[in-house]
Amino acid sequence: MTDGDNLRARRERAVTDEVLASFSDAESPRLKELMAALVEHLHAFAREVRLTETEWDLAINYLTEAGQISTDRRQEFILLSDVLGLSMLTVGINAPAVHGATESTVFGPFFMQGSPQIERGGNIAEGVKGQPCYIHGVVRDVDGAPVPSARIEVWEADDDGFYDVQYEGDKVQGRGHLFSGPDGEYDFWCVLPAPYPIPHDGPVGRLLAASNRSPMRPAHVHFMVTAPGYSSLITHIFVEGSDHLDGDAVFGVKPSLIIEFKERVGFPAPGAHVDGPWVEAEFDIVLSRSGESSR
Ligand code: BEZ
Ligand code: FE
């Protein structure tokens, strides 16, 4: 190392130490811990890649643009977290590691509070383009006991790959919630999901294109299941055989969540009037008890 290198290394370390010290009086011990680690890793990153001022400026403009394109219906920072794998890493860190419990996956930006309640066997996709799809199963705990009255939120894109909130106007379609019955059973109608691209007309899309990455996600239906005394579960089911199962833009696929969607022709459709073919998927949901984190 030359004298110049030594001088530079000392100057760089001094900045990091000064910033670390500035957070050392934070009231909240957790904030202190988070900021100390963030500063240490962020500075280490800048040192490692020898960040240029032009690149720093580009990054600031990039984040500014991500903020400017975000609205209450478009969340570019969630997309950024998703394509960086930070969302799935956070899911992995926080999901209970309980043997037999249904695995979690990425939440995504398209959940909306206040979805309509549907009756058991009801349809969340009235008027939505796509093939009728009947999804049913049982909510259980890890010991196999049924979980009645679990709240099951479901949401999905239409056959063109768009969620209701991506259209102009206030229509609510392709989402709803229902409650499991006395034996934990649930069922509802929707449409067969199709693969779709995450929104890629903004900064996140540019990053994917510049990295030769696809914005596509395999076909899936989102679930969020909550019941008193149990850890809430945020997950999807993926359609077996769908395109992009081995290249999800947001790294959300887990083999245990890939389900067969069976084509039904000439079978009576449970509780619904369906003229043509429909598909059926069975998905049993296994919840772990609150506070149970490894078993
Ligand atoms: C979704 O599945 O809805 C989704 C997840 C991550 C990014 C964009 C969309
Ligand atoms: Fe989705």
Side-chain angles (χ1 to χ4, degrees), residues 58-182:
L58 206 131
I60 294 290
N61 289 335
Y62 186 86
L63 293 176
T64 304
E65 216 186 306
Q68 285 165 343
I69 202 173
S70 294
T71 65
D72 56 350
R73 293 175 150 233
R74 165 80 184 248
Q75 231 303 354
E76 199 71 3
F77 286 104
I78 295 185
L79 292 183
L80 187 55
S81 163
D82 293 341
V83 302
L84 291 175
L86 182 60
S87 306
M88 274 311 285
L89 179 61
T90 309
V91 166
I93 290 168
N94 290 283
V98 177
H99 193 68
T102 301
E103 291 196 277
S104 309
T105 189
V106 64
F107 195 34
F110 294 125
F111 172 74
M112 292 286 137
Q113 294 287 353
S115 74
Q117 182 173 345
I118 54 160
E119 292 307 312
R120 290 261 328 279
N123 188 357
I124 64 156
E126 212 67 70
V128 175
K129 218 175 125 198
Q131 188 171 20
C133 174
Y134 179 63
I135 298 181
H136 61 102
V138 176
V139 186
R140 294 200 173 89
D141 68 17
V142 286
D143 297 318
V147 179
S149 305
R151 181 184 171 112
I152 305 167
E153 289 272 357
V154 285
W155 64 105
E156 66 166 1
D158 65 15
D159 205 36
D160 290 326
F162 292 110
Y163 287 82
D164 51 3
V165 291
Q166 294 179 279
Y167 289 101
E168 291 293 320
D170 295 326
K171 75 171 177 179
V172 177
Q173 269 183 336
R175 67 181 70 243
H177 68 273
L178 68 159
F179 292 90
S180 58

Side-chain angles (χ1 to χ4, degrees), residues 17 32 44 66 68 75 157 166 233 243 245 269 271 273 280:
D17 289 342
K32 192 167 147 180
Q68 285 165 343
Q75 231 303 354
Q166 294 179 279
L233 170 71
D243 286 342
L245 279 171
H273 176 81
E280 174 176 3

Side-chain angles (χ1 to χ4, degrees), residues 107-110 155-157 163 196 217-218 220-222 236:
F107 195 34
F110 294 125
W155 64 105
E156 66 166 1
Y163 287 82
Y196 66 83
R217 296 214 65 207
H220 61 273
V221 178
H222 294 256
H236 311 346

Side-chain angles (χ1 to χ4, degrees), residues 15 25 39 50 58 66 93 107 121 133 170 191 205 237 241 261 264 284 294:
V15 176
D25 286 339
V39 168
R50 309 308 303 162
L58 206 131
I93 290 168
F107 195 34
C133 174
D170 295 326
V191 290
I237 51 175
F261 281 60
R264 299 295 191 203
D284 288 343
S294 63

